[in-house]
Amino acid sequence: MSYRTHPSEHIAHNVDKADFLRMLGEYLKPDSLLSDPEDLRPYDCDALSVYKSLPWVVALPETVGQAQAVLRLCHQHGVPVVARGAGTGLSGGALPADNGVLLSLAKFNRILHIDPANRVARVQPGVRNAAVSEAALAYGLYYAPDPSSQIACTIGGNIAENSGGVHCLKYGLTVHNLLGLKLLTVDGELIELGSGGMDAAGYDLLALVTGSEGLLGVIVEATLRLLPAPTTARALLAAFGSVEQAGAGVAEIIGAGLVPAGLEMMDNLIIRAAEDFVHAGYPVDAAAIILCEMDGMAEQVDADLEQAQNILLRMGATEVRLAKTEAERKKFWAGRKSAFPAAGRISPDYYCMDGTIPRRSLAEVLHRIAVLSASYGIDVANVFHAGDGNLHPLLLYDASQPGQLERAEEVGGKILELCVAAGGTVTGEHGVGMEKINQMCIQFSPAELAQFHAVKAAFDPRGLLNPGKAVPSLHRCAEFGAMHIHRGILSFPELERY
Amino acid sequence: MQNENLSELLRERVLKAIAEGSPLLILGGGSKSFYGRTAVGEVLDMAGHSGIIAYEPTELVLTARTGTALSTIESVLDGQGQMLAFEPPHFGLATLGGTVACGLSGPRRAYAGSVRDSVLGVKLINGKGEILSFGGQVMKNVAGFDLSRLMVGALGTLGVLLEVSLKLVPKPEVEETRCFDMGADAALTAMSLWSGQAWPLSAACHDGERVYIRLSGAESAIRASAKQLGGERLPDGCAFWAGLREQNLPFFRQMDNSQASLLDANLAVPSLPREAGAAAIAESLWRISLPPAAPMLSLQGACFIDWGGALRWLKTDADAAAVFALAQQTGGHASLFRSIDRSGLVFQALPDPLKALHMRLKQAFDPLGIFNPGRLYQEW
């Protein structure tokens, strides 16, 4: 797949690599500083592995002091810095700059303190998401955000991307479960955001930094909110004869005042793929299934599930199955959680999209996706967090067939534009990164992008942190805009085209 | 219901202010004029810019113009069995814009999230007079910096809010309030314990003598929880929590003379007798945000604990510097919520690097310093 660092987003410098390594070496141990192409190779991409670029240098600091030293040197010499956690991101957010330092936070991997009385965990950014809940379990607490990569992804990356997950309909995104941050600014200064309480003095910089994709600073510590573990969780599976009916069932559940812990939908293509893969017992002839989970006190869960069951039957479900045992509930979820690898079994390659739309547009957008799929000859399997309208269309293609990859990419771009046109967004939880940077030109006007750049400059005036990601330059948009019309007006008429 | 889009008119006012270099004082319903530092400027009246633009109950999202009365929004939501999760105070004729700009949340905040947790998107006028939209009307949206949540609590210093989209929640089927006689220290321990367990809690406070907890959910769940937790059922729980939210419980009304009149003016509550405490030194009402299990602060004055321990309302005549210092030492921050003198520091001072960053951000939105200068901090 193709990406291009736009000339206007490239941060040039003339620093000699050997000199710079020597300077970094004064602060970092030899094994914390990598520059041989062979050592750099594992860092050339994140989980969007079709985008690759070798970093100039990789730095793996172990202390805040070392991370500060790396940032100070980069700042002093005008060298770009890309921070990296576990590298599980899906939008190329951790794609290295070829003349920059890749700052890995992998060695910041300690849970510093679990405070059960205040229900918080203080952790370093390299701690795995799932490890927080594992450590909190002893106190009957857990950390709610659960991106599907939670066994591998780390907290620093979760914050940088404002990660979601299956449970965010009820428990919110990362931003709703974060109380404090220690952040290094581009010049290596340590600032603390948030407080020990539920809010802080001044502007809500905690919210601003969350989801800022490494453009505003480098996270070196986080204070996470822990919740009491629910005593009961139960799930149901409902089968539908059409995707539209299933979509209407989702809307009814929400409209009835239920707040499921998870409300997921899968279409026939992915139902069959998942069933072949993990034998979850899914009805393979259904056009769509809904998985709905309730959690909380047993009495609440029973009341809510009964209501959900009645609604789904009334909305035309051909079958509603309540998981009778914990094992059966886990089996329901095993199918959903294996959806991506299952897609990998029915197609040599797949490309996962991440748009969000208002729920009411579900049927319309799915129909248009089907039309795109047919006209480009690219199969699309749909799995989504239906409760919050977050779509994950999986575009199935074969990279060994000439032209398929480019067609898949083009369909992907069109799907994102559909999401924007429906009143939604180009990314619900995976981030813009490098992947969706062109589509940002469609979602935002030049003045809005200029406001983003002004905010970026307040933190990082020279644009050294993760250049070329998340917020496109106006020149990039001018070029992209030559092919696209924004809200009925040709974008950037004043800018030179090249 | 008023329904008028004054965006262009407001933009012209902002452009004029930019041209003349004269500051604007953004005013909604004026219900929270007491909050923040005293600021000067020509009033930019937002009240006419009102109306609900979009509300689809199955989307759990509402978009409205910022001059819309909070009471209008709440009654429309109520009709559909929905509500704002953060239970905002009205303090009179609150508008949506003022609610978001002040960022104040009520008793439910500790268990259901804050104003900023509910904000999904905003439309605003920046200090260049441009109308910009950030965020959106969907639950999950990570495209671009989260500038909509940044507006919450910024006291209008970053822009003129025109429209806000909020995430909604369904109203619980049943609510019940239980109370328990106990002192403050025991209350903090009890609230911390309960908050760490899977009870259907939606509020927990202590008024100096009793702990009050509110349970919300399905009737069967509330009955089971009430039975296991014990305590005494408060007959009119609804009025109690509304009283706490609006600060007209006895704790908030029994201030010394000068404060009482200040409260009267802001709350439009019946006047208190003026004779008592005529010579008293003016007490201030402090809002102190702390780690929920933090012990009681060693400061003189009466304290009302909300948010399961995370919010402490303190009536004191203690030196402001002492309150700020102790709040910070305890891991939190303080603000001078109601006071006669609002010319000094009202919000916790920021460390230098953070303050510099704040000032650069202000520059990024409002380079000429047109919007509400001095309302948040003296320097900008």
Side-chain angles (χ1 to χ4, degrees):
Chain A
M1 229 165 272
S2 56
Y3 77 90
R4 190 165 75 92
T5 303
H6 195 271
S8 64
E9 293 162 354
H10 180 72
I11 305 293
H13 65 77
N14 298 312
V15 180
D16 181 78
K17 188 168 169 178
D19 285 349
F20 201 64
L21 283 169
R22 204 160 39 242
M23 288 186 268
L24 287 168
E26 286 177 31
Y27 299 94
L28 297 173
K29 292 181 196 162
D31 63 351
S32 296
L33 195 53
L34 313 176
S35 60
D36 286 348
E38 241 170 76
D39 296 334
L40 298 178
R41 191 70 59 198
Y43 298 92
D44 68 356
C45 67
D46 57 20
L48 184 63
S49 56
V50 286
Y51 291 2
K52 283 185 198 294
S53 169
L54 275 192
W56 196 51
V57 171
V58 172
L60 296 122
E62 289 170 46
T63 64
V64 172
Q66 289 176 341
Q68 285 178 297
V70 172
L71 283 166
R72 275 193 208 111
L73 282 172
C74 289
H75 185 244
Q76 197 182 332
H77 296 273
V79 173
V81 181
V82 177
R84 177 187 173 100
T88 58
L90 290 166
S91 58
L95 181 73
D98 60 6
N99 66 343
V101 170
L102 188 89
L103 182 62
S104 166
L105 281 306
K107 292 184 177 178
F108 285 75
N109 59 1
R110 286 187 305 129
I111 294 176
L112 300 171
H113 184 52
I114 304 259
D115 176 353
N118 288 308
R119 301 176 303 285
V120 296
R122 206 155 53 79
V123 306
Q124 292 188 321
V127 168
R128 290 179 306 109
N129 173 293
V132 180
S133 289
E134 285 159 18
L137 193 62
Y139 306 97
L141 302 169
Y142 80 114
Y143 177 60
D146 59 342
S148 59
S149 55
Q150 71 181 134
I151 57 162
C153 65
T154 54
I155 293 298
N158 289 177
I159 296 167
E161 302 293 329
N162 192 13
S163 300
V166 166
H167 285 93
C168 56
L169 177 63
K170 183 170 179 182
Y171 296 105
L173 307 161
T174 301
V175 71
H176 301 112
N177 291 279
L178 182 66
L179 293 167
L181 276 184
K182 285 187 184 173
L183 184 83
L184 296 182
T185 56
V186 67
D187 52 356
E189 186 107 50
L190 180 73
I191 56 174
E192 291 192 36
L193 308 179
S195 82
M198 290 184 176
D199 46 33
Y203 296 140
D204 198 337
L205 300 188
L206 198 59
L208 176 60
V209 165
T210 306
S212 64
E213 303 196 19
L215 269 73
L216 304 183
V218 176
I219 296 157
V220 290
E221 192 182 302
T223 304
L224 310 174
R225 180 175 78 131
L226 302 175
L227 295 177
T231 48
T232 307
R234 295 184 62 199
L236 66 74
L237 182 159
F240 284 87
S242 78
V243 170
E244 288 79 1
Q245 271 183 315
V250 167
E252 273 304 293
I253 286 180
I254 302 294
L258 294 170
V259 185
L263 188 56
E264 299 285 305
M265 194 165 143
M266 297 163 73
D267 75 2
N268 181 265
L269 188 53
I270 202 72
I271 293 169
R272 282 186 286 127
E275 184 57 26
D276 276 352
F277 185 29
V278 294
H279 311 295
Y282 287 170
V284 291
D285 50 351
I289 59 169
I290 290 176
L291 290 177
C292 173
E293 179 161 298
M294 303 290 181
D295 68 10
M297 273 187 87
E299 291 83 354
Q300 183 80 50
V301 169
D302 290 345
D304 289 352
L305 264 191
E306 193 189 332
Q307 201 186 345
Q309 183 175 16
N310 292 338
I311 289 169
L312 292 168
L313 285 170
R314 181 161 50 78
M315 295 306 288
T318 53
E319 182 192 1
V320 177
R321 257 187 247 168
L322 281 173
K324 286 178 210 69
T325 60
E326 181 63 10
E328 198 181 353
R329 181 182 78 91
K330 288 198 165 135
K331 223 166 120 184
F332 283 179
W333 283 110
R336 166 63 184 90
K337 289 186 173 169
S338 71
F340 293 4
R345 290 175 83 239
I346 58 170
S347 172
D349 301 281
Y350 72 89
Y351 179 31
C352 175
M353 309 301 299
D354 169 47
T356 302
I357 55 168
R359 272 180 296 260
R360 63 176 173 273
S361 313
L362 203 58
E364 167 77 11
V365 170
L366 288 177
H367 170 71
R368 285 171 181 268
I369 289 176
V371 170
L372 280 173
S373 162
S375 75
Y376 281 83
I378 296 286
D379 283 337
V380 180
N382 286 294
V383 238
F384 29 80
H385 306 304
D388 40 34
N390 187 191
L391 309 179
H392 288 315
L394 301 175
L395 313 188
L396 310 179
Y397 69 98
D398 182 351
S400 67
Q401 299 294 313
Q404 277 224 1
L405 186 142
E406 289 74 17
R407 282 214 302 283
E409 199 183 22
E410 207 176 322
V411 174
K414 298 244 185 246
I415 289 175
L416 296 183
E417 290 168 30
L418 274 181
C419 293
V420 176
T425 174
V426 297
T427 173
E429 57 184 0
H430 294 171
V432 172
M434 178 61 90
E435 181 198 24
K436 282 156 285 209
I437 193 142
N438 285 334
Q439 279 75 28
M440 286 290 284
C441 307
I442 293 169
Q443 190 164 334
F444 295 97
S445 73
E448 287 157 356
L449 292 170
Q451 186 65 67
F452 286 145
H453 285 293
V455 168
K456 161 79 168 167
F459 283 82
D460 177 16
R462 291 150 77 193
L464 296 179
L465 295 172
N466 215 4
K469 314 281 178 63
V471 182
S473 70
L474 297 179
H475 280 100
R476 175 190 281 274
C477 288
E479 222 166 275
F480 186 71
M483 298 170 289
H484 288 77
I485 302 296
H486 181 83
R487 295 178 194 169
I489 309 157
L490 182 67
S491 303
F492 312 99
E494 74 285 5
L495 289 179
E496 179 192 356
R497 316 273 161 162
Y498 59 87
Chain B
M1 191 177 76
Q2 270 190 306
N3 197 337
E4 204 172 358
N5 182 1
L6 303 183
S7 299
E8 274 310 315
L9 205 72
L10 291 164
R11 194 172 88 94
E12 280 166 28
R13 288 287 311 279
V14 170
L15 288 171
K16 183 165 168 276
I18 292 168
E20 293 169 358
S22 58
L24 291 170
L25 205 58
I26 308 164
L27 184 72
S31 60
K32 288 176 283 290
S33 296
F34 67 88
Y35 184 61
R37 297 181 70 260
T38 319
V40 288
E42 200 180 321
V43 168
L44 184 69
D45 187 358
M46 301 298 295
H49 181 64
S50 67
I52 292 170
I53 296 167
Y55 174 43
E56 174 58 54
T58 62
E59 299 289 334
L60 289 177
V61 176
L62 173 138
T63 303
R65 296 191 187 96
T66 44
T68 314
L70 200 52
S71 56
T72 303
I73 291 172
E74 287 180 333
S75 80
V76 168
L77 296 181
D78 194 58
Q80 297 292 331
Q82 296 184 347
M83 63 181 192
L84 301 173
F86 51 95
E87 203 174 6
H90 291 235
F91 297 146
L93 194 86
T95 60
L96 173 62
T99 299
V100 170
C102 292
L104 298 173
S105 304
R108 204 179 297 270
R109 185 267 174 269
Y111 305 94
S114 63
V115 189
R116 77 83 131 133
D117 290 341
S118 291
V119 166
L120 296 174
V122 301
K123 185 183 273 191
L124 57 82
I125 308 175
N126 70 3
K128 291 178 172 177
E130 298 165 327
I131 295 182
L132 310 174
S133 291
F134 300 107
Q137 288 83 43
V138 290
M139 297 289 157
K140 287 163 93 177
N141 183 359
V142 293
F145 297 132
D146 193 346
L147 302 189
S148 39
R149 289 192 180 96
L150 181 65
M151 296 301 138
V152 182
L155 283 176
T157 57
L158 298 178
V160 180
L161 297 176
L162 292 175
E163 294 169 16
V164 177
S165 295
L166 293 172
K167 180 184 172 179
L168 312 168
V169 293
K171 288 178 70 175
E173 186 187 317
V174 174
E175 298 207 306
E176 181 170 327
T177 301
R178 312 287 302 179
C179 35
F180 308 76
D181 289 329
M182 62 177 90
D185 295 328
L188 286 172
T189 307
M191 291 191 290
S192 168
L193 180 74
W194 292 329
S195 299
Q197 298 169 341
W199 302 109
L201 273 184
S202 68
C205 73
H206 182 256
D207 68 355
E209 288 161 7
R210 303 173 100 186
V211 165
Y212 300 77
I213 59 172
R214 182 173 57 193
L215 303 167
S216 305
E219 198 187 344
S220 53
I222 300 313
R223 215 181 313 123
S225 306
K227 199 173 157 197
Q228 291 174 59
L229 286 163
E232 185 192 329
R233 182 173 177 275
L234 189 72
D236 198 357
C238 223
F240 173 79
W241 296 106
L244 171 55
R245 186 189 73 210
E246 299 302 334
Q247 297 193 342
N248 49 29
L249 292 181
F251 171 88
F252 296 98
R253 296 194 46 195
Q254 288 159 6
M255 308 271 295
D256 70 71
N257 200 29
S258 45
Q259 268 311 97
S261 57
L262 186 74
L263 283 176
D264 290 347
N266 290 320
L267 297 180
V269 293
S271 283
L272 296 172
R274 289 295 149 91
E275 307 81 61
I281 304 160
E283 271 186 333
S284 295
L285 179 66
W286 287 84
R287 177 191 185 278
I288 305 176
S289 185
L290 293 180
M296 294 298 287
L297 297 182
S298 54
L299 286 166
Q300 269 192 335
C303 182
F304 192 111
I305 307 171
D306 196 4
W307 293 2
L311 190 64
R312 318 280 172 94
W313 295 103
L314 178 71
K315 289 189 296 191
T316 187
D317 55 10
D319 182 35
V323 181
F324 281 125
L326 196 57
Q328 188 163 23
Q329 270 171 36
T330 316
H333 67 101
S335 42
L336 192 50
F337 198 76
R338 290 183 194 269
S339 173
I340 303 289
D341 180 10
R342 300 189 288 135
S343 59
L345 208 54
V346 162
F347 300 101
Q348 191 88 33
L350 302 170
D352 283 343
L354 198 54
K355 182 173 154 189
L357 185 56
H358 273 71
M359 292 173 76
R360 290 198 301 273
L361 266 175
K362 166 74 174 177
Q363 278 277 322
F365 283 92
D366 179 20
L368 298 173
I370 298 294
F371 303 131
N372 287 359
R375 184 88 191 257
L376 190 59
Y377 288 98
Q378 189 171 4
E379 293 88 343
W380 74 89

